[in-house]
Amino acid sequence: MAKKEYVPLFETRQVKGRILFRCIAASILLGICFIIMYRIRYFPVGGKAERWTWIGLFLSELWFSFYWLLTTVCRWNAVIRIPFIHRLSQRFGKELPGIDIFVCTADPLLEPPSMVVNTVLSMMAYDYPPEKLSVYLSDDGGSNLTFYAMLEAANFSKTWLPFCKKF
């Protein structure tokens, strides 16, 4: 029995502009160091209120500096992954798993029905075998407006989805 050749499902590339990002991050780090040195060097000698204000400012600057450091470390060696969708069907063929997608909505004033309809139609237009894709809408508010919007979307989907599959 011949062994199948392994083909990767995606390609990993370095993000462009990493050197510029690293230069900007280094300049921000230098600025943070200057701010911390300034705070430590000029401790208030005045009253108790000034000291508590200084401590509060210093602690908040330390916290935001730590947060900035964490987010910058995550972006330091950024990559993008480009998927090869056609290889997925080549590798798995008809063995693709079934997918259930749930769209939840409750209030038609906070979540306009047009957004809910756009979400459902976009998911139905996925490039995935239609017999293995199920989209469910959960309307916890039981809104008539959302119900009638989905009825109109069902009629519209008869022309929209074939257009999406074609183009």
Side-chain angles (χ1 to χ4, degrees):
M1 181 174 200
K3 191 175 183 181
K4 291 185 178 181
E5 184 180 330
Y6 176 78
V7 289
L9 295 178
F10 60 89
E11 176 185 1
T12 303
R13 291 186 188 167
Q14 299 285 337
V15 173
K16 295 179 182 175
R18 286 183 338 159
I19 295 173
L20 177 65
F21 173 76
R22 288 180 178 183
C23 290
I24 292 171
S27 67
I28 292 173
L29 180 63
L30 185 66
I32 289 173
C33 290
F34 282 143
I35 289 172
I36 291 174
M37 283 179 13
Y38 173 81
R39 287 277 178 223
I40 291 173
R41 207 167 156 175
Y42 294 102
F43 185 80
V45 218
K48 191 174 185 180
E50 288 88 8
R51 275 193 228 130
W52 282 111
T53 305
W54 181 91
I55 290 171
L57 283 173
F58 185 65
L59 289 178
S60 65
E61 286 168 351
L62 282 179
W63 173 254
F64 285 119
S65 299
F66 177 70
Y67 175 76
W68 174 85
L69 185 68
L70 286 181
T71 58
T72 303
V73 165
C74 293
R75 298 179 190 143
W76 192 256
N77 194 19
V79 295
I80 56 172
R81 290 183 174 82
I82 302 164
F84 302 126
I85 298 172
H86 62 281
R87 290 184 184 173
L88 180 66
S89 60
Q90 285 176 351
R91 184 183 290 181
F92 295 106
K94 297 291 181 184
E95 299 174 18
L96 290 173
I99 296 178
D100 295 329
I101 301 173
F102 293 92
V103 179
C104 299
T105 182
D107 187 6
L109 297 176
L110 296 176
E111 302 159 340
S114 61
M115 288 177 53
V116 175
V117 166
N118 286 341
T119 304
V120 170
L121 287 175
S122 296
M123 290 180 192
M124 290 174 65
Y126 279 171
D127 187 18
Y128 204 79
E131 64 274 359
K132 296 193 177 205
L133 179 69
S134 300
V135 180
Y136 301 97
L137 176 65
S138 172
D139 184 10
D140 294 339
S143 166
N144 288 336
L145 186 60
T146 305
F147 175 73
Y148 289 118
M150 286 307 297
L151 280 178
E152 291 298 321
N155 291 333
F156 176 67
S157 69
K158 293 175 186 172
T159 56
W160 178 247
L161 293 177
F163 175 79
C164 290
K165 299 288 183 192
K166 185 177 179 183
F167 297 106

